[in-house]
Amino acid sequence: MGKPFGGELSLLEKTVDWTNKLDLDHLKTYLGKLSSPIYVVGSGGSLSACHYAVSLFNDHGKFARAVTPLELFFSEKTIRNSSILFITASGKNYDIKFSFKRALEYEPKAIGAITMKENNPLSLLTQKHGIAETFDFTIPSGKDGFLATNSLIAFFSILNKTLGVPSFKIQNTTKDLTVRISRFLDEIANDCTLVILHGGWNKAVAVDIESKCTEAGLTTTLIADYRNFGHGRHHWFDKNPNSAIIALANKIEINLCHKTLKTLPNSIPKLVLESASENSDSALYILIQSFEFIKELGLKVGIDPGRPGVPSYGRKLYHLPYSNLIKPSKKTALTKRAELSIKRKLNIDDLQSIDKKELEIWRKSYSKFMGNLLRTSFGMVLFDYDGTICSSKERFTGPSNEMAEKLLSILENGFMFGVVTGRGKSIRNDLQKIIPKKYWEQVLVGYYNGSEFGALSDDSLPDKGQELHPSLQPIIPLLSEIETLYGIKVTKRPNQLTIEIDDNKRWGFIRNLVIQTIKTCGLNEIQILESSHSMDIIPNSISKVDMVPSAKEKLKERNLPEQILYIGDKGQWSGNDFMLLDNEFGLSVDEVSSKLDACWNIASLSNRNSSATLEYLDCLVFSGNGIGFKISK
């Protein structure tokens, strides 16, 4: 089993060149938008990449933690309000798949996965759940040997390119490094304990050295950062003289490294692996040096790290199924859909933690909502757009082919649908591309959060020739300083100001600054709404439901049922759908309001946004009486 370790190292330069040519823009955007706290999950060698990802997230001001699949399981009470990122080369080991399925049960804020094999078991799992997104790469070096080598440098390089410095180029092993490694190995015995010291960026490398030494059975290792080493861990050398130090240091840490080592007796063998860089790429330079050390250590002890041989019990441990050996999910008397929907309303994981009387109230409210939904005939479905019909990836390309087919089926069966959004002309262009012209009169479009609306066929809308609404005029000078200082983009429309920013890291701060600036100036005739990608400021007199009376008139003219089914993603205030979904037929594909009688999310487990919309559209039943909605309670 495995491959010669030296042969794998010869492919590292090819692997790094490959990663530098990858288009990683979508992954960069995805990782940049992940919100704290973030669990980065991996097993074996991939756990080293998880630690590197944590350092990168921390450098972006985000709290992150590297965990094994079992550690994630025992963090279950925090999963719902966290983001989860899986890092796995093959995506097929039992632990990673079980951990992924378990995370789905808690519907975290986001679930992502980075793998080194396309269409692997984990990525196939993600395709079944709208909450999850996977980034699969086909590494040219193929499957690693026993230890993570090319896949690991690929993970480091991809993470560095998306969250760190733009690129990294591999450097050939210097003669000086070879001499220093050889001299160090001559000083130590085969059974020597290695103490690995690290600073900031190089914790991931320290973790990887420990991982390789242990997994290949090369030697015993201990890990400490430079200062924690000074809090008693140095005492190890006094009682265990058969020990040595490997110190990892970049430009920032090198003085601390040398000062620390000088305080120790000269009799202790020491090896420094260093980088002249002070940035995130320093970890990659030192990681490659550590690979060279592992190769030479393997030669010394007579074990090829790439194929050390695996005992029979090792294979049994690796494939051990343990899902039935640890505590199962708690059960209630509710149906799965009812339980899931109520959990979303309450934003909790355990319904047994609330009072029985309260739970009974929620059960009755859910039952009433579902009863009304299932027995009503609708003439129209009224949608939000971004995050509902279009995913974030489709924002500039328009709805998917599958979504277009579902929307068209509503029209082909003689019914209507509408879209109300913060967008302007772009929404009309998107819809006219996917809807045949003969159906345009059956489609209503509400522009700029419903301030203007009309049939899809009306090319005169939206009318940008109108003057800016009086309630919005005082806001322009208030935003000018913020616009200049932070580079926000303020788009002016007659009845809406839209605020966007390219730097997602500053959005939380700028969002609060805008709100406080406006509210403290006594401007009470406006409302501030948030979508999946921007903030809209509109007059209080405008709402997404303003087009509903007109829609019902259209339904009446066509002798269709006047009831409307509402579908959106931002049902909680201050989301831009909170008014649209605030009724007995309001379905959310993401955030829900806290009200008992409106805005429920009844989509299946971990299905979210446009994927949940597709699920709802699959539940539509067309008949002469109208559009029915059929789904299990």
Side-chain angles (χ1 to χ4, degrees), residues 287-351:
L287 179 67
I288 291 172
Q289 294 176 44
S290 74
F291 285 173
E292 190 66 24
F293 169 75
I294 292 296
K295 183 187 77 172
E296 296 301 322
L297 178 61
L299 291 173
K300 176 180 176 66
V301 300
I303 298 174
D304 186 335
R307 46 182 184 182
V310 180
S312 58
Y313 63 81
R315 292 187 178 90
K316 291 179 181 179
L317 279 172
Y318 181 82
H319 295 289
L320 178 69
Y322 60 88
S323 59
N324 294 326
L325 304 179
I326 51 183
K327 58 181 180 178
S329 301
K330 296 176 181 179
K331 305 293 183 181
T332 69
L334 299 168
T335 65
K336 288 184 178 180
R337 193 178 305 279
E339 182 175 346
L340 183 59
S341 300
I342 295 172
K343 283 180 178 179
R344 288 166 174 161
K345 278 284 193 180
L346 298 171
N347 192 30
I348 60 175
D349 299 314
D350 181 11
L351 293 183

Side-chain angles (χ1 to χ4, degrees), residues 498-517:
T498 298
I499 300 172
E500 299 171 287
I501 186 172
D502 292 330
D503 188 356
N504 291 314
K505 293 187 293 184
R506 304 302 303 275
W507 177 248
F509 168 76
I510 292 170
R511 168 192 178 274
N512 291 337
L513 177 60
V514 169
I515 292 173
Q516 291 178 19
T517 299

Side-chain angles (χ1 to χ4, degrees), residues 11-29:
L11 299 175
L12 292 178
E13 185 172 1
K14 180 181 178 182
T15 298
V16 171
D17 288 343
W18 166 73
T19 62
N20 284 334
K21 295 174 184 176
L22 292 174
D23 181 359
L24 299 174
D25 286 347
H26 182 49
L27 176 60
K28 182 176 182 178
T29 299

